[in-house]
């Protein structure tokens, strides 16, 4: 579905990404895990051409994205960011139906899809469809953002720390809801986070970045047994709150 081949990205003399080789298979969720400044968001943005590589290439469906029209490419990719990025002057239904409208879907088809997706993300349309973003909580905004990303049934989802700004309880609820949604939809997903618990909960595989390079790519189970320096640094944060001892599995 998505493949990075010897990908490099530089700004001036600084190398932000170097030698990235990674393949994301159909239907899996690959979590890009790393500290702030590790290059994970930059790598994600290479896929929808919000950043262009300095070297190497990115393939989507076997075709280099450099050969694809960026507008058409982006409409085939669902994209969710930290603050949801909703248009404040549009209702929830209008935000979700934005891309179908750009794709010239018939109005009844757009409305049907919008109502279907609001139900899927746990926002009853009779309550939420006519609301504006200012009338929503943080978790509700993120649910709308996910619904909008799914509107035209894209084969690929990109999520850039979508739950990072939420309080711990709401964040956990959103993680569970997203995991359930993924089990139902089976979308190919790249998910950026700096939270090891989130990575272990949601990732089919975890790709750990450090200083712009991949340190390890592993399943959640194998990641718990990893011994690379950066993986051990992340695993050391998994402490039992009541005892302060390492989390089971270390």
């Amino acid at each position: 579905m998505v493949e990075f081949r010897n990908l490099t990205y530089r700004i001036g003399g600084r190398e932000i990404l170097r030698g990235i080789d990674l393949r994301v298979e159909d239907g899996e969720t690959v979590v890009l895990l790393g500290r702030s400044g590790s290059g994970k968001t930059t790598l994600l943005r290479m896929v929808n051409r919000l950043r262009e590589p300095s070297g190497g290439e990115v393939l989507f469906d076997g075709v280099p994205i450099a050969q694809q029209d960026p507008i058409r490419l982006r409409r085939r990719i669902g994209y969710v960011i930290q603050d949801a990025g909703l248009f404040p002057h549009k209702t929830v239904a209008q935000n979700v139906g934005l891309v179908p409208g750009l794709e010239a879907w018939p109005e009844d088809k757009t409305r049907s899809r919008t109502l279907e997706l609001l139900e899927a993300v746990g926002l009853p349309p009779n309550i939420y469809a006519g609301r504006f973003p200012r009338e929503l909580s943080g978790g509700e905004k993120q649910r709308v953002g996910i619904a909008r990303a799914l509107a035209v049934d894209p084969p690929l989802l990109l999520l850039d720390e979508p739950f990072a700004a939420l309080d711990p309880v709401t964040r956990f609820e959103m993680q569970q809801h997203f995991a359930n949604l993924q089990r139902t939809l089976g979308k190919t997903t790249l998910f950026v986070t700096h939270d090891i618990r989130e990575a272990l909960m949601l990732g089919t595989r975890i790709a750990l970045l450090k200083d712009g390079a991949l340190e390890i790519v592993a399943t959640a189970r194998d990641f718990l047994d990893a011994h690379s320096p950066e993986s051990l640094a992340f695993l050391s944060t998994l402490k039992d709150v009541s005892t302060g001892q390492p989390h089971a599995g270390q």
Side-chain angles (χ1 to χ4, degrees), residues 3-10 15 17-22 53-59:
E3 186 175 0
F4 302 94
R5 293 182 178 174
N6 195 28
L7 192 77
T8 300
Y9 181 65
R10 300 181 187 89
E15 202 167 44
L17 295 170
R18 50 193 171 89
I20 302 292
D21 287 299
L22 178 65
S54 304
E57 62 180 355
V58 184
L59 284 76

Side-chain angles (χ1 to χ4, degrees), residues 6-197:
N6 195 28
L7 192 77
T8 300
Y9 181 65
R10 300 181 187 89
I11 298 179
R14 184 184 172 204
E15 202 167 44
I16 308 299
L17 295 170
R18 50 193 171 89
I20 302 292
D21 287 299
L22 178 65
R23 182 178 175 87
V24 183
E25 303 291 350
D26 286 354
E28 74 170 335
T29 298
V30 171
V31 173
L32 302 176
L33 176 68
R35 307 187 195 208
S36 298
S38 62
K40 55 190 185 295
T41 291
T42 300
L43 184 60
L44 186 82
R45 291 176 178 174
M46 292 287 172
V47 180
N48 58 4
R49 297 190 66 180
L50 293 178
R51 296 286 186 273
E52 298 286 354
S54 304
E57 62 180 355
V58 184
L59 284 76
F60 179 40
D61 272 351
V63 180
I65 62 169
Q67 299 175 12
Q68 302 185 41
D69 175 77
I71 301 301
R72 296 304 310 158
L73 174 70
R74 289 167 192 156
R75 290 185 186 176
R76 296 181 60 213
I77 298 173
Y79 186 41
V80 184
I81 58 178
Q82 188 174 131
D83 64 356
L86 304 181
F87 290 98
H89 60 288
K90 293 182 179 292
T91 66
V92 165
Q94 288 168 337
N95 269 283
V96 175
L98 180 66
V99 178
L102 293 173
E103 292 288 277
W105 281 24
E107 187 175 331
D108 58 343
K109 181 180 178 182
T110 297
R111 175 173 173 76
S112 175
R113 179 65 172 165
T114 297
L115 299 182
E116 173 191 344
L117 286 170
L118 288 177
E119 288 285 3
V121 299
L123 298 175
N126 61 315
I127 298 174
Y128 289 95
R131 291 187 180 180
F132 288 88
R134 64 178 178 272
E135 302 174 284
L136 305 177
S137 69
E140 289 167 347
K141 289 178 183 177
Q142 288 307 98
R143 289 174 188 250
V144 176
I146 291 171
R148 184 176 64 183
L150 292 167
V152 293
D153 197 21
L156 175 66
L157 296 179
L158 305 179
L159 295 99
D160 189 3
E161 301 198 66
F163 312 137
L166 304 178
D167 66 81
V169 173
T170 303
R171 181 170 187 164
F172 181 68
E173 291 172 349
M174 287 298 300
Q175 289 165 346
Q176 289 183 309
H177 189 83
F178 180 76
N180 292 333
L181 200 61
Q182 270 295 77
R183 281 191 285 271
T184 301
L185 300 177
K187 291 289 183 183
T188 307
T189 302
L190 270 170
F191 190 111
V192 166
T193 187
H194 59 260
D195 184 334
I196 180 61
R197 292 171 179 81

